[in-house]
């Protein structure tokens, strides 16, 4: 793809996805890479600038400082944010000071608006500062372009070398003018803002046709947004050479298999429905570790696809709806693992296919939705809330049993129904129920019960890399709780999860 590329170089923090999304929003293509892998990319690909980011409250390691020294030799524009600014300071011979551990918080900040980085901003504003450590002595050739009462050097620049540092986080919604700062840095890099999902669709179709040739492709179709968009894209590229496999692994939402079958049977695509409930659930018997669950499910999916491929005959390619957050969260390209995704971290080492096709692997969730619209998918598919590939396996704590699955299916259906009837579904990114492994004492029909605690989860999000818990009206929660306890056996307590992402993840496992 012929696009300007910005690298977001990750030293292990949690801000990288937010920064990458802000850049893509400016129609500039970017990739997130761990700092150990960035050097090889800089040597082989067209890169026009770098943003350095890392964890809060930590001093850059010697390795991080040495890598930063290498980045400085490239002559490319560099923006260091938080940890990235202190790494730049150390690499350039400046000095930093370490304070007691302090969580980032908003502070009034004075900006030098003569700097290209702050063009178009007011001189006074609020910045989300990380003050656990900061630069106390400027490197040679730099000047201060931002300050606050607690942080004399909140921003620095060397205009001639196009190197900038920010102690506050422009990607944070609590920083005033943060989007403008990121946009200004794109201008400093000379970005032409050519990244468009419409162009991507055309290029992706051409790439798939070239890769597949006259061979056959097998796609695991879940009916969710990612796999549906992936199917539509590959269908446009190779048509009847694509066979979609819908696998019922016994961990679907209530009536999910029936709905998917009804939705895709009239699409013209080759669709095969596979009942694999027993083989999946037998493999999962006795397993409690969430990572092991994901890997078992991932491998069993592949085994099912291999079996179907042999029946179809001469299938060379396996297609998957892997998206960029899956890659990042699964530790792709050496990044830190948050959780393994069944279609990334769960893949077995030996796969009986020539190659994988993952046409969405560089897209964020909202970009996948835009692509779906571009491809002509119906609104009901594009706007569906995501459902994880491992299904209810990551929403059942502890061992997975058929009884637990049936309990959760019924409770989850009630919650989704109440959300829909209240008209809240359009404002929520995801909403679902989780069956915990905790049992508590209760009373039902005048008798003592000892039954499961069910958790309800609902979040608002734009990109699924961050999410805020949703303030569901009390009357909706009350009605949902009463219905679940009255209508579903083996549940006697319902709680609501008010954890945002980060620090939590959207799913519980």
């Amino acid at each position: 793809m012929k696009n300007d590329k910005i690298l977001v170089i990750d030293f292990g923090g949690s801000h990288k996805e937010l920064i990458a999304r802000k850049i893509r929003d400016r129609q500039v293509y970017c990739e997130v890479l761990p700092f150990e892998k960035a050097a090889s990319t800089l040597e082989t690909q067209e890169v026009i600038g770098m943003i350095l980011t890392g964890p809060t409250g930590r001093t850059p390691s010697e390795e991080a400082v040495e890598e930063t020294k290498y980045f400085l030799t490239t002559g490319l524009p560099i923006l260091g944010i938080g940890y990235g600014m202190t790494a730049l300071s150390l690499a350039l011979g400046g000095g930093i000071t370490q304070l007691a551990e302090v969580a980032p918080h908003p502070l009034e900040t004075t900006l030098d608006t003569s700097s290209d980085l702050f063009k178009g901003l007011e001189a006074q504003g609020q910045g989300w500062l990380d003050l656990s450590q900061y630069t106390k002595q400027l490197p040679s050739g730099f000047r201060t372009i931002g300050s606050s009462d607690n942080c004399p050097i909140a921003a620095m620049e060397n205009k001639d070398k196009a190197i900038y540092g920010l102690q506050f986080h422009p990607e944070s919604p609590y920083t005033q003018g943060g989007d403008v700062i990121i946009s200004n840095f794109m201008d400093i890099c000379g970005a032409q803002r050519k990244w468009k999902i419409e162009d991507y669709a055309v290029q992706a179709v051409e790439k798939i046709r070239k890769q597949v040739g006259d061979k056959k492709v097998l796609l695991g179709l879940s009916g969710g947004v990612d796999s549906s968009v992936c199917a539509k894209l590959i269908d446009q590229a190779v048509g009847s050479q694509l066979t979609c496999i819908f696998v019922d692994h016994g961990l679907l939402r209530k009536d999910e298999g029936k709905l998917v079958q009804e939705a895709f049977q009239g699409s013209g695509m080759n669709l095969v429905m596979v009942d694999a409930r027993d083989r999946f659930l037998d493999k999962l018997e006795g397993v409690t570790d969430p990572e092991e669950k994901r890997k078992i499910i991932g491998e069993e999916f592949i085994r099912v696809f291999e079996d179907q491929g042999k029946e179809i005959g001469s299938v060379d390619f396996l297609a998957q709806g892997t998206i960029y957050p899956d890659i990042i969260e699964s530790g792709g390209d050496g990044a830190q693992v948050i959780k393994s995704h069944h279609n990334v971290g769960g893949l077995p080492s030996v796969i009986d296919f020539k190659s994988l096709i993952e046409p969405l692997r560089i897209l964020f969730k909202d970009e996948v939705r835009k692509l779906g619209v571009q491809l002509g998918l119906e609104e009901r598919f594009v706007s569906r809330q995501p459902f994880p590939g491992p299904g209810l396996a990551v929403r059942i704590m502890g061992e997975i049993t058929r009884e637990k699955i049936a309990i959760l299916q019924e409770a989850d259906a009630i919650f989704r129904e109440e959300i829909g009837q209240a008209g809240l579904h359009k404002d929520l990114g995801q909403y679902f129920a989780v069956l915990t492994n905790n049992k508590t004492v209760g009373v039902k029909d005048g008798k003592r019960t000892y039954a499961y605690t069910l958790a309800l989860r609902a979040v608002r999000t734009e990109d699924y890399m961050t999410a805020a818990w949703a303030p569901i009206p009390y009357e909706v929660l009350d009605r949902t709780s009463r219905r679940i306890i009255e209508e579903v056996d083996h549940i006697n307590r319902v709680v609501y999860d008010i954890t945002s992402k980060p620090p939590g993840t959207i799913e519980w496992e």
Side-chain angles (χ1 to χ4, degrees):
M1 181 173 299
K2 303 289 186 181
N3 277 294
D4 295 336
K5 180 186 293 185
I6 300 289
L7 289 187
V8 177
I9 298 176
D10 174 34
F11 288 94
S14 59
H15 305 278
K16 53 188 177 292
E17 296 90 357
L18 278 174
I19 297 168
R21 285 300 304 115
K22 296 289 186 180
I23 296 170
R24 295 265 187 104
D25 286 345
R26 308 241 103 72
Q27 294 185 304
V28 179
Y29 181 65
C30 72
E31 291 182 5
V32 177
L33 285 177
F35 73 93
E36 304 95 333
K37 301 285 186 179
S40 59
T41 299
L42 287 167
E43 292 171 358
T44 59
Q45 298 185 28
E46 183 179 354
V47 177
I48 63 170
M50 291 174 276
I51 295 181
L52 313 184
T53 181
T56 58
R58 287 173 53 187
T59 302
S61 65
E62 291 184 11
E63 186 182 8
V65 173
E66 288 302 311
E67 287 294 328
T68 301
K69 289 179 180 178
Y70 168 75
F71 301 146
L72 290 166
T73 67
T74 64
L76 294 171
I78 297 177
L79 172 62
I81 298 175
Y83 180 103
M85 176 172 169
T86 54
L88 281 173
S89 296
L90 291 172
L92 290 161
I96 67 170
T97 185
Q98 183 73 37
L99 300 181
E101 192 167 328
V102 179
H105 59 287
L107 284 175
E108 286 298 316
T109 306
T110 300
L111 305 178
D112 183 343
T113 56
S114 69
S115 170
D116 291 341
L117 194 63
F118 300 143
K119 182 174 60 179
L121 294 177
E122 298 291 331
Q124 299 293 325
Q126 181 173 272
W128 189 252
L129 275 88
D130 172 15
L131 295 182
S132 56
Q133 58 180 352
Y134 60 84
T135 298
K136 67 175 181 179
Q137 179 183 346
L138 284 170
S140 177
F142 280 74
R143 71 183 186 101
T144 300
I145 57 172
S147 62
S148 71
D149 290 342
N150 299 60
C151 187
I153 306 177
M156 66 181 189
E157 76 167 8
N158 184 322
K159 182 176 181 178
D160 293 338
K161 294 184 177 180
I163 301 174
Y164 301 83
L166 298 175
Q167 199 58 54
F168 56 90
H169 292 267
E171 75 279 7
S172 168
Y174 300 103
T175 293
Q176 293 175 347
D179 289 351
V180 175
I181 294 172
I182 291 176
S183 183
N184 286 340
F185 184 67
M186 297 300 98
D187 290 338
I188 290 168
C189 294
Q192 298 182 46
R193 304 176 191 261
K194 293 182 177 179
W195 171 248
K196 296 181 180 179
I197 204 67
E198 295 85 356
D199 295 336
Y200 178 80
V202 174
Q203 294 165 347
V205 166
E206 292 176 355
K207 183 177 179 180
I208 293 167
R209 283 176 181 161
K210 183 177 180 180
Q211 182 180 2
V212 173
D214 60 356
K215 303 295 192 301
K216 294 181 180 179
V217 184
L218 206 59
L219 168 68
L221 178 65
S222 69
V225 177
D226 302 335
S227 66
S228 296
V229 173
C230 186
K232 188 71 173 178
L233 189 64
I234 298 175
D235 180 61
Q236 284 198 6
V238 298
S240 61
Q241 294 167 244
L242 169 67
T243 298
C244 296
I245 306 292
F246 177 82
V247 179
D248 184 349
H249 52 14
L251 297 159
L252 301 172
R253 290 173 290 200
K254 184 178 180 181
D255 296 329
E256 187 83 4
K258 180 181 178 181
L259 292 173
V260 171
Q261 186 172 17
E262 291 175 351
F264 280 93
Q265 276 191 331
S267 66
M269 296 183 187
N270 297 325
L271 177 63
V272 177
M273 307 290 290
V274 179
D275 185 349
R277 288 174 290 184
D278 288 340
R279 66 186 288 176
F280 274 86
L281 298 183
D282 288 347
K283 289 276 187 180
L284 290 166
E285 186 175 350
V287 178
T288 60
D289 179 74
E291 281 296 290
E292 188 177 354
K293 289 179 187 177
R294 287 176 174 272
K295 292 182 185 297
I296 288 172
I297 291 169
E299 178 161 354
E300 202 59 27
F301 265 120
I302 298 297
R303 301 284 86 89
V304 172
F305 295 151
E306 285 179 346
D307 292 344
Q308 292 300 313
K310 291 172 183 176
E311 290 188 19
I312 297 169
S314 187
V315 174
D316 291 87
F317 296 95
L318 172 66
Q320 296 187 139
T322 309
I323 64 174
Y324 203 30
D326 298 341
I327 301 296
I328 295 173
E329 291 190 338
S330 297
D333 294 326
Q336 183 180 7
V337 175
I338 299 173
K339 59 184 178 181
S340 294
H341 289 260
H342 80 286
N343 53 349
V344 182
L347 291 180
S349 58
V350 178
I351 303 176
D352 191 18
F353 294 93
K354 179 179 178 180
S355 182
L356 284 173
I357 297 177
E358 297 175 310
L360 310 181
R361 67 179 285 118
I362 66 170
L363 301 183
F364 287 95
K365 177 66 76 173
D366 62 319
E367 293 172 325
V368 174
R369 295 188 192 278
K370 291 176 184 176
L371 178 60
V373 172
Q374 178 68 22
L375 294 171
L377 270 176
E378 294 181 32
E379 173 64 24
R380 57 176 174 153
F381 292 115
V382 175
S383 62
R384 289 191 78 189
Q385 63 163 317
F387 185 62
L392 300 182
V394 296
R395 296 177 182 174
I396 295 175
M397 305 297 100
E399 181 181 3
I400 297 169
T401 66
R402 287 165 173 79
E403 180 186 58
K404 284 184 176 180
I405 294 169
I407 294 170
L408 183 55
Q409 284 175 330
E410 293 299 323
D412 180 74
I414 290 172
F415 184 39
R416 289 187 288 116
E417 180 181 328
E418 291 295 335
I419 289 291
Q421 289 182 351
L424 301 173
H425 57 289
K426 291 184 179 180
D427 296 325
L428 300 176
Q430 276 184 268
Y431 49 98
F432 54 87
V434 176
L435 186 64
T436 77
N437 208 28
N438 295 326
K439 289 188 174 183
T440 62
V441 174
V443 178
K444 187 174 182 178
D445 298 329
K447 297 180 181 180
R448 177 187 184 275
T449 63
Y450 188 62
Y452 290 111
T453 298
L454 184 88
L456 303 178
R457 178 80 158 137
V459 298
R460 290 173 174 166
T461 180
E462 293 182 1
D463 54 23
Y464 294 87
M465 300 308 304
T466 61
W469 67 272
I472 302 297
Y474 292 140
E475 58 269 23
V476 177
L477 291 174
D478 178 61
R479 189 164 54 248
T480 300
S481 176
R482 290 177 181 274
R483 282 193 60 193
I484 288 173
I485 291 174
E486 290 174 2
E487 299 175 27
V488 184
D489 292 334
H490 308 296
I491 294 175
N492 67 0
R493 192 178 300 270
V494 177
V495 298
Y496 187 57
D497 182 353
I498 58 170
T499 310
S500 294
K501 175 186 180 180
T505 55
I506 294 178
E507 299 290 345
W508 274 37
E509 287 193 345

